[in-house]
Amino acid sequence: MAIKRYLNDTNLIRLMQESGFLLKNIINSEGELILCLRENYFNIYYRGNSLAKVSFKSENKYTVDIHSKFIPTELINDPDFSNKYKVLTIKGKETIYRFNIEQCELRKLLQKTYIASIKEKIIKVGYKEELEFQHLIMSDNILNEKDCLIDIQITDKYANGKRMDLMGLKQIDGNLYRMVIMEVKLGNNEELKEKVYRQIKDYSDHVKKYFTCYKHTYEEQYRQLKQLGLLPSYKYETIVIDDEIEEMIIVGRYLAKAQKQITELIINHPDIEDKIRLLAYIKAVDIDRKNMYADGFFTHPQVK
């Protein structure tokens, strides 16, 4: 398969066994933490950064990867884990701490205290503002059944390093949904006035080429997220994805600059006009984010 971003049955059952602490903490965060399913692992995201990558291993074991920039000192010094991690270099540049643990140890490794420390590190180290914006869009639509944001930072083995920002599911009728490929830009990003057009078209062409795999992946991912309790307000246990694909460019912050660049983009590519959404984005620390986009952006008026 070109893409498989869901768990096998065995690993799904294992993750469901963590409902008493991990899944509960994710749900109670109200979108501050987002859990995304992958083929044999899952990521926990905070402000668009991977707070932890948890991979399923045989014999009820896990490996947990935490970036060296975010690893808390108290976790490294915890005597229960002092001989259970290695420091690895990934792709020649990224350094991670990889913990090899028993299933019963996951609760302590990802306890609230350590997660809070990792979050503090992410804030102190700094992060790409555009990643935070992606996370903000996804988290503030977490209860929006009509405009479901189901996945973030999407790639596959045939994507040649390309990575889609968001995958949305637009409700057509009942449990019938449609995939919406979403590219996210800040208003001051120079790619907005031209390059973004080619990006969104390339992503769309790619998904069309491997449509059967993408359709199955997101039908299955929806089912598993619902089963895990991570889509609590959604009515349907399963969905069917139709044969159409939509494209969307979401633009936030630096709105004066954004309007100028969007105007140039539309002049050069008139067909993109009704696919652009301009959001009045404020940093997450400055506002009460709950239901910020409750009206939904799939039906938001086009940019003028």
Side-chain angles (χ1 to χ4, degrees):
M1 293 181 68
I3 186 170
K4 183 181 178 183
R5 291 165 81 88
Y6 57 89
L7 304 178
N8 63 36
D9 291 340
T10 299
N11 290 337
L12 178 63
I13 292 171
R14 287 179 62 184
L15 182 52
M16 291 177 67
Q17 292 171 352
E18 312 296 350
S19 61
F21 90 102
L22 179 59
L23 297 178
K24 181 180 178 180
N25 292 342
I26 298 290
I27 294 167
N28 289 344
S29 77
E30 297 183 317
E32 186 179 61
L33 299 175
I34 295 175
L35 186 149
C36 290
L37 301 178
R38 307 300 185 227
E39 183 171 355
N40 292 309
Y41 65 95
F42 60 89
N43 280 103
I44 302 172
Y45 287 98
Y46 175 68
R47 296 196 176 189
N49 292 271
S50 178
L51 181 149
K53 172 185 175 182
V54 182
S55 301
F56 297 89
K57 300 300 179 181
S58 60
E59 299 177 349
N60 289 328
K61 295 182 179 180
Y62 289 111
T63 63
V64 180
D65 292 353
I66 301 174
H67 200 287
S68 60
K69 293 187 295 185
F70 308 144
I71 192 79
T73 303
E74 58 267 36
L75 177 52
I76 298 174
N77 293 334
D78 188 324
D80 288 340
F81 299 114
S82 60
N83 63 345
K84 294 192 175 183
Y85 70 82
K86 297 179 180 179
V87 182
L88 306 174
T89 301
I90 306 298
K91 296 180 181 179
K93 56 180 181 179
E94 299 291 333
T95 303
I96 63 166
Y97 283 71
R98 174 165 293 169
F99 293 82
N100 294 282
I101 60 173
E102 304 291 334
Q103 182 165 340
C104 61
E105 296 176 302
L106 187 65
R107 177 185 289 266
K108 181 170 185 181
L109 184 63
L110 294 181
Q111 63 180 274
K112 287 185 177 180
T113 301
Y114 289 153
I115 286 182
S117 296
I118 298 171
K119 286 162 58 178
E120 288 179 7
K121 286 272 193 176
I122 290 174
I123 293 171
K124 288 180 181 179
V125 168
Y127 42 85
K128 292 183 179 179
E129 192 176 3
E130 211 158 79
L131 289 179
E132 181 194 31
F133 185 32
Q134 293 173 22
H135 188 118
L136 182 65
I137 295 167
M138 191 169 183
S139 65
D140 286 323
N141 280 272
I142 203 162
L143 300 178
N144 192 339
E145 185 175 22
K146 292 184 178 180
D147 299 346
C148 172
L149 277 293
I150 197 165
D151 205 0
I152 192 169
Q153 300 175 18
I154 303 107
T155 190
D156 63 60
K157 62 182 180 180
Y158 300 127
N160 296 321
K162 296 177 182 177
R163 188 184 300 269
M164 288 176 271
D165 290 336
L166 293 171
M167 177 63 75
L169 295 176
K170 174 181 177 179
Q171 189 178 36
I172 304 301
D173 182 33
N175 75 332
L176 182 65
Y177 280 77
R178 178 173 299 159
M179 284 187 286
V180 183
I181 298 163
M182 311 173 82
E183 182 67 12
V184 177
K185 299 293 182 189
L186 295 179
N188 63 349
N189 191 326
E190 292 295 322
E191 294 180 350
L192 186 57
K193 59 187 176 184
E194 178 58 37
K195 188 175 180 180
V196 68
Y197 181 82
R198 190 67 265 155
Q199 288 175 327
I200 197 72
K201 292 299 180 183
D202 284 348
Y203 297 150
S204 182
D205 290 344
H206 182 77
V207 173
K208 289 175 183 176
K209 183 176 181 179
Y210 299 103
F211 180 82
T212 301
C213 291
Y214 273 81
K215 170 181 164 70
H216 178 72
T217 280
Y218 286 109
E219 288 175 345
E220 187 65 10
Q221 190 181 107
Y222 177 100
R223 182 187 71 82
Q224 293 191 357
L225 290 172
K226 179 65 176 174
Q227 194 169 347
L228 290 165
L230 296 173
L231 300 175
S233 64
Y234 288 42
K235 178 179 180 181
Y236 300 100
E237 296 297 323
T238 62
I239 62 168
V240 176
I241 294 175
D242 75 3
D243 293 336
E244 301 294 323
I245 294 173
E246 294 189 15
E247 304 158 359
M248 187 175 295
I249 299 170
I250 302 177
V251 185
R253 218 165 181 234
Y254 312 104
L255 300 187
K257 178 91 171 177
Q259 288 283 11
K260 292 179 181 179
Q261 299 201 95
I262 290 170
T263 297
E264 184 174 338
L265 179 67
I266 292 173
I267 289 173
N268 293 331
H269 305 284
D271 60 302
I272 204 71
E273 182 173 6
D274 64 352
K275 300 175 182 179
I276 301 172
R277 301 294 181 269
L278 186 59
L279 301 182
Y281 164 54
I282 304 172
K283 279 193 174 181
V285 294
D286 299 330
I287 60 172
D288 177 4
R289 300 177 301 118
K290 191 174 183 180
N291 296 325
M292 181 177 172
Y293 305 123
D295 291 338
F297 49 83
F298 291 155
T299 55
H300 192 281
Q302 66 189 45
V303 175
K304 298 294 185 183

